[in-house]
Short mmCIF file of all heavy atoms in Angstrom, two decimals:
data_model
loop_
_atom_site.label_atom_id
_atom_site.label_comp_id
_atom_site.label_asym_id
_atom_site.label_seq_id
_atom_site.Cartn_x
_atom_site.Cartn_y
_atom_site.Cartn_z
N THR I 1 124.45 164.41 213.60
CA THR I 1 125.56 163.58 213.21
C THR I 1 125.21 162.31 212.43
O THR I 1 126.04 161.46 212.26
CB THR I 1 126.42 163.16 214.46
OG1 THR I 1 125.57 162.30 215.34
CG2 THR I 1 126.86 164.39 215.27
N ALA I 2 123.96 162.13 212.19
CA ALA I 2 123.39 160.89 211.55
C ALA I 2 123.48 160.92 210.02
O ALA I 2 122.57 160.40 209.42
CB ALA I 2 122.03 160.63 212.12
N GLY I 3 124.39 161.56 209.46
CA GLY I 3 124.51 161.58 208.02
C GLY I 3 124.71 160.29 207.47
O GLY I 3 125.68 159.49 207.78
N PRO I 4 123.97 159.83 206.51
CA PRO I 4 124.16 158.49 205.86
C PRO I 4 125.37 158.51 204.93
O PRO I 4 125.76 159.59 204.50
CB PRO I 4 122.79 158.19 205.15
CG PRO I 4 122.35 159.53 204.72
CD PRO I 4 122.78 160.50 205.89
N SER I 5 125.84 157.30 204.66
CA SER I 5 126.93 157.22 203.68
C SER I 5 126.43 157.45 202.25
O SER I 5 125.22 157.50 201.97
CB SER I 5 127.66 155.84 203.80
OG SER I 5 126.72 154.85 203.42
N ARG I 6 127.37 157.62 201.29
CA ARG I 6 127.00 157.81 199.90
C ARG I 6 126.24 156.62 199.38
O ARG I 6 125.27 156.71 198.61
CB ARG I 6 128.23 158.02 199.01
CG ARG I 6 127.96 158.36 197.62
CD ARG I 6 129.30 158.62 196.87
NE ARG I 6 129.96 159.72 197.46
CZ ARG I 6 131.15 160.07 197.03
NH1 ARG I 6 131.75 159.46 196.03
NH2 ARG I 6 131.77 161.07 197.67
N SER I 7 126.63 155.35 199.69
CA SER I 7 126.04 154.16 199.19
C SER I 7 124.56 154.11 199.81
O SER I 7 123.63 153.66 199.05
CB SER I 7 126.83 152.94 199.64
OG SER I 7 126.95 152.88 201.03
N GLU I 8 124.41 154.50 201.02
CA GLU I 8 123.00 154.51 201.58
C GLU I 8 122.12 155.44 201.01
O GLU I 8 120.92 155.21 200.76
CB GLU I 8 123.12 154.77 203.18
CG GLU I 8 123.73 153.75 203.98
CD GLU I 8 123.93 154.18 205.41
OE1 GLU I 8 124.06 155.37 205.72
OE2 GLU I 8 124.01 153.27 206.26
N LEU I 9 122.69 156.69 200.58
CA LEU I 9 121.88 157.64 199.87
C LEU I 9 121.45 157.15 198.49
O LEU I 9 120.25 157.38 198.11
CB LEU I 9 122.61 159.00 199.73
CG LEU I 9 122.68 159.93 200.94
CD1 LEU I 9 123.59 161.08 200.68
CD2 LEU I 9 121.38 160.38 201.38
N ILE I 10 122.39 156.58 197.80
CA ILE I 10 122.02 156.06 196.44
C ILE I 10 120.96 154.85 196.58
O ILE I 10 120.01 154.84 195.77
CB ILE I 10 123.23 155.49 195.77
CG1 ILE I 10 124.21 156.64 195.53
CG2 ILE I 10 122.93 154.79 194.53
CD1 ILE I 10 125.61 156.30 194.94
N ALA I 11 121.13 154.06 197.60
CA ALA I 11 120.13 152.94 197.79
C ALA I 11 118.78 153.51 198.16
O ALA I 11 117.81 153.04 197.66
CB ALA I 11 120.62 152.03 198.87
N GLU I 12 118.72 154.57 199.02
CA GLU I 12 117.39 155.12 199.42
C GLU I 12 116.80 155.80 198.20
O GLU I 12 115.57 155.78 198.04
CB GLU I 12 117.65 156.15 200.57
CG GLU I 12 117.92 155.41 201.85
CD GLU I 12 117.92 156.37 203.01
OE1 GLU I 12 117.85 157.60 202.82
OE2 GLU I 12 118.13 155.88 204.18
N PHE I 13 117.53 156.59 197.41
CA PHE I 13 116.89 157.26 196.17
C PHE I 13 116.48 156.18 195.27
O PHE I 13 115.34 156.38 194.69
CB PHE I 13 118.04 158.13 195.58
CG PHE I 13 118.10 159.56 196.15
CD1 PHE I 13 118.99 159.90 197.08
CD2 PHE I 13 117.22 160.56 195.70
CE1 PHE I 13 119.05 161.10 197.67
CE2 PHE I 13 117.35 161.87 196.21
CZ PHE I 13 118.14 162.16 197.17
N SER I 14 117.21 155.11 194.99
CA SER I 14 116.77 154.13 194.03
C SER I 14 115.47 153.45 194.68
O SER I 14 114.46 153.21 193.84
CB SER I 14 117.82 153.11 193.81
OG SER I 14 119.04 153.70 193.37
N ALA I 15 115.48 153.05 195.92
CA ALA I 15 114.33 152.40 196.48
C ALA I 15 113.13 153.28 196.48
O ALA I 15 111.92 152.85 196.15
CB ALA I 15 114.58 151.95 197.93
N GLY I 16 113.20 154.65 196.77
CA GLY I 16 112.15 155.51 196.76
C GLY I 16 111.60 155.63 195.40
O GLY I 16 110.29 155.76 195.20
N LEU I 17 112.36 155.63 194.38
CA LEU I 17 111.89 155.77 192.95
C LEU I 17 111.12 154.61 192.56
O LEU I 17 110.02 154.79 191.99
CB LEU I 17 113.15 156.05 192.07
CG LEU I 17 112.77 156.27 190.59
CD1 LEU I 17 111.87 157.45 190.32
CD2 LEU I 17 114.01 156.40 189.66
N VAL I 18 111.65 153.44 192.90
CA VAL I 18 110.90 152.14 192.52
C VAL I 18 109.63 152.04 193.24
O VAL I 18 108.67 151.64 192.62
CB VAL I 18 111.89 151.01 192.65
CG1 VAL I 18 111.09 149.63 192.44
CG2 VAL I 18 113.08 151.05 191.76
N LEU I 19 109.67 152.29 194.52
CA LEU I 19 108.45 152.22 195.33
C LEU I 19 107.36 153.20 194.89
O LEU I 19 106.12 152.90 194.71
CB LEU I 19 108.68 152.36 196.83
CG LEU I 19 109.51 151.30 197.51
CD1 LEU I 19 109.85 151.64 198.95
CD2 LEU I 19 108.71 149.99 197.42
N ALA I 20 107.82 154.40 194.49
CA ALA I 20 106.88 155.42 193.98
C ALA I 20 106.27 154.95 192.70
O ALA I 20 105.12 155.11 192.41
CB ALA I 20 107.68 156.77 193.77
N PHE I 21 107.11 154.26 191.81
CA PHE I 21 106.54 153.81 190.53
C PHE I 21 105.55 152.71 190.80
O PHE I 21 104.56 152.60 190.08
CB PHE I 21 107.69 153.25 189.72
CG PHE I 21 107.22 152.78 188.36
CD1 PHE I 21 106.84 153.54 187.37
CD2 PHE I 21 107.31 151.39 188.08
CE1 PHE I 21 106.45 153.05 186.16
CE2 PHE I 21 106.87 150.85 186.89
CZ PHE I 21 106.51 151.67 185.89
N ALA I 22 105.88 151.79 191.76
CA ALA I 22 104.82 150.78 192.10
C ALA I 22 103.51 151.40 192.61
O ALA I 22 102.52 150.94 192.31
CB ALA I 22 105.37 149.87 193.27
N LEU I 23 103.61 152.51 193.43
CA LEU I 23 102.42 153.18 193.82
C LEU I 23 101.62 153.72 192.70
O LEU I 23 100.38 153.72 192.59
CB LEU I 23 102.76 154.18 194.90
CG LEU I 23 103.22 153.73 196.23
CD1 LEU I 23 103.68 154.95 197.06
CD2 LEU I 23 102.11 152.96 196.96
N ALA I 24 102.42 154.32 191.71
CA ALA I 24 101.68 154.92 190.62
C ALA I 24 101.02 153.81 189.75
O ALA I 24 99.97 154.05 189.16
CB ALA I 24 102.81 155.62 189.66
N LEU I 25 101.64 152.62 189.59
CA LEU I 25 100.96 151.58 188.87
C LEU I 25 99.66 151.17 189.56
O LEU I 25 98.65 150.77 188.92
CB LEU I 25 101.91 150.35 188.80
CG LEU I 25 103.09 150.55 187.88
CD1 LEU I 25 103.92 149.28 187.85
CD2 LEU I 25 102.73 150.95 186.41
N LEU I 26 99.60 151.14 190.90
CA LEU I 26 98.41 150.79 191.62
C LEU I 26 97.38 151.92 191.38
O LEU I 26 96.17 151.57 191.28
CB LEU I 26 98.80 150.67 193.15
CG LEU I 26 99.56 149.50 193.58
CD1 LEU I 26 99.79 149.58 195.11
CD2 LEU I 26 98.91 148.22 193.25
N TYR I 27 97.80 153.05 191.37
CA TYR I 27 96.86 154.20 191.06
C TYR I 27 96.26 154.10 189.68
O TYR I 27 95.05 154.09 189.52
CB TYR I 27 97.59 155.56 191.18
CG TYR I 27 96.82 156.81 190.77
CD1 TYR I 27 95.83 157.36 191.74
CD2 TYR I 27 96.84 157.25 189.54
CE1 TYR I 27 95.14 158.48 191.31
CE2 TYR I 27 96.07 158.45 189.15
CZ TYR I 27 95.20 159.03 190.04
OH TYR I 27 94.48 160.05 189.80
N LEU I 28 97.11 153.75 188.61
CA LEU I 28 96.60 153.63 187.30
C LEU I 28 95.75 152.39 187.17
O LEU I 28 94.70 152.33 186.44
CB LEU I 28 97.84 153.49 186.39
CG LEU I 28 98.69 154.80 186.16
CD1 LEU I 28 99.80 154.50 185.27
CD2 LEU I 28 97.80 156.01 185.64
N ALA I 29 96.10 151.34 187.90
CA ALA I 29 95.28 150.18 187.88
C ALA I 29 93.93 150.42 188.54
O ALA I 29 92.80 150.03 187.97
CB ALA I 29 95.88 148.99 188.73
N GLY I 30 93.84 151.21 189.60
CA GLY I 30 92.57 151.58 190.17
C GLY I 30 91.74 152.47 189.22
O GLY I 30 90.54 152.28 189.04
N SER I 31 92.43 153.29 188.40
CA SER I 31 91.81 154.12 187.47
C SER I 31 91.12 153.32 186.36
O SER I 31 90.02 153.52 185.93
CB SER I 31 92.69 155.24 186.94
OG SER I 31 92.08 155.98 185.91
N PHE I 32 91.88 152.35 185.94
CA PHE I 32 91.37 151.47 184.87
C PHE I 32 90.19 150.68 185.39
O PHE I 32 89.24 150.32 184.67
CB PHE I 32 92.57 150.55 184.39
CG PHE I 32 92.14 149.57 183.31
CD1 PHE I 32 92.06 150.02 181.92
CD2 PHE I 32 91.74 148.29 183.63
CE1 PHE I 32 91.59 149.16 181.00
CE2 PHE I 32 91.42 147.40 182.61
CZ PHE I 32 91.29 147.79 181.32
N THR I 33 90.24 150.22 186.60
CA THR I 33 89.13 149.39 187.12
C THR I 33 87.83 150.16 187.12
O THR I 33 86.81 149.59 186.86
CB THR I 33 89.54 148.95 188.59
OG1 THR I 33 90.71 148.18 188.57
CG2 THR I 33 88.40 148.12 189.09
N PHE I 34 87.89 151.43 187.51
CA PHE I 34 86.66 152.22 187.67
C PHE I 34 86.25 152.83 186.32
O PHE I 34 85.01 153.14 186.11
CB PHE I 34 86.85 153.29 188.62
CG PHE I 34 86.86 152.76 190.03
CD1 PHE I 34 88.06 152.67 190.80
CD2 PHE I 34 85.68 152.38 190.73
CE1 PHE I 34 88.11 152.17 191.97
CE2 PHE I 34 85.76 151.88 192.00
CZ PHE I 34 86.94 151.74 192.62
N THR I 35 87.17 153.19 185.40
CA THR I 35 86.84 153.93 184.15
C THR I 35 86.97 153.16 182.84
O THR I 35 86.57 153.57 181.91
CB THR I 35 87.62 155.17 184.06
OG1 THR I 35 89.09 154.88 183.92
CG2 THR I 35 87.53 156.07 185.34
N GLY I 36 87.77 152.00 183.05
CA GLY I 36 88.12 151.28 181.83
C GLY I 36 89.11 151.89 180.95
O GLY I 36 89.22 151.43 179.75
N ASP I 37 89.91 152.92 181.44
CA ASP I 37 90.82 153.56 180.52
C ASP I 37 91.91 154.07 181.45
O ASP I 37 91.66 154.64 182.50
CB ASP I 37 90.05 154.81 179.88
CG ASP I 37 90.96 155.43 178.76
OD1 ASP I 37 92.08 154.95 178.56
OD2 ASP I 37 90.54 156.38 178.16
N PHE I 38 93.13 153.91 180.93
CA PHE I 38 94.38 154.35 181.62
C PHE I 38 94.60 155.94 181.45
O PHE I 38 95.28 156.60 182.16
CB PHE I 38 95.65 153.74 181.23
CG PHE I 38 95.69 152.32 181.63
CD1 PHE I 38 95.72 151.27 180.79
CD2 PHE I 38 95.81 151.99 183.03
CE1 PHE I 38 95.77 149.87 181.22
CE2 PHE I 38 95.75 150.71 183.48
CZ PHE I 38 95.88 149.67 182.53
N ASN I 39 93.87 156.55 180.41
CA ASN I 39 94.06 157.93 180.17
C ASN I 39 93.13 158.70 181.11
O ASN I 39 91.87 158.70 180.77
CB ASN I 39 93.83 158.21 178.67
CG ASN I 39 94.20 159.56 178.25
OD1 ASN I 39 94.71 160.42 179.14
ND2 ASN I 39 93.87 159.98 177.05
N ALA I 40 93.63 159.35 182.02
CA ALA I 40 92.75 160.12 183.03
C ALA I 40 92.58 161.60 182.55
O ALA I 40 91.97 162.42 183.24
CB ALA I 40 93.42 160.13 184.29
N ILE I 41 93.04 161.97 181.25
CA ILE I 41 92.85 163.27 180.89
C ILE I 41 91.77 163.38 179.84
O ILE I 41 91.70 162.57 178.86
CB ILE I 41 94.27 163.84 180.19
CG1 ILE I 41 95.41 163.65 181.25
CG2 ILE I 41 94.11 165.20 179.78
CD1 ILE I 41 96.72 164.02 180.64
N SER I 42 90.95 164.34 180.02
CA SER I 42 89.77 164.46 179.09
C SER I 42 90.34 165.04 177.76
O SER I 42 91.27 165.83 177.67
CB SER I 42 88.76 165.48 179.76
OG SER I 42 87.82 165.80 178.82
N SER I 43 89.60 164.66 176.70
CA SER I 43 89.97 165.21 175.40
C SER I 43 89.51 166.59 175.11
O SER I 43 89.83 167.19 174.08
CB SER I 43 89.42 164.26 174.26
OG SER I 43 87.95 164.05 174.39
N ASN I 44 88.66 167.06 176.07
CA ASN I 44 88.16 168.38 175.94
C ASN I 44 89.20 169.42 176.27
O ASN I 44 89.83 169.38 177.36
CB ASN I 44 86.96 168.59 176.95
CG ASN I 44 86.24 169.98 176.68
OD1 ASN I 44 86.78 170.89 176.13
ND2 ASN I 44 85.03 169.96 177.23
N SER I 45 89.51 170.26 175.39
CA SER I 45 90.61 171.20 175.45
C SER I 45 90.52 172.19 176.67
O SER I 45 91.44 172.79 177.17
CB SER I 45 90.90 172.02 174.15
OG SER I 45 89.68 172.66 173.83
#
């Protein structure tokens, strides 16, 4: 019976997306710190 309201769902989806983006920026920042490049994909096909 603990179904959230529509506004709560929208807020949770929005907050989850923004927090995930913040975590991704931290991941990319860590990659740049160790490799000096944001591109983690090799040019080797």
Side-chain angles (χ1 to χ4, degrees):
T1 65
S5 65
R6 183 178 304 177
S7 59
E8 290 175 335
L9 282 176
I10 294 175
E12 287 188 355
F13 271 95
S14 300
L17 181 60
V18 174
L19 289 175
F21 181 70
L23 289 175
L25 291 181
L26 290 179
Y27 175 83
L28 293 176
S31 175
F32 179 80
T33 300
F34 288 103
T35 65
D37 189 1
F38 287 117
N39 188 5
I41 304 177
S42 172
S43 58
N44 188 342
S45 60

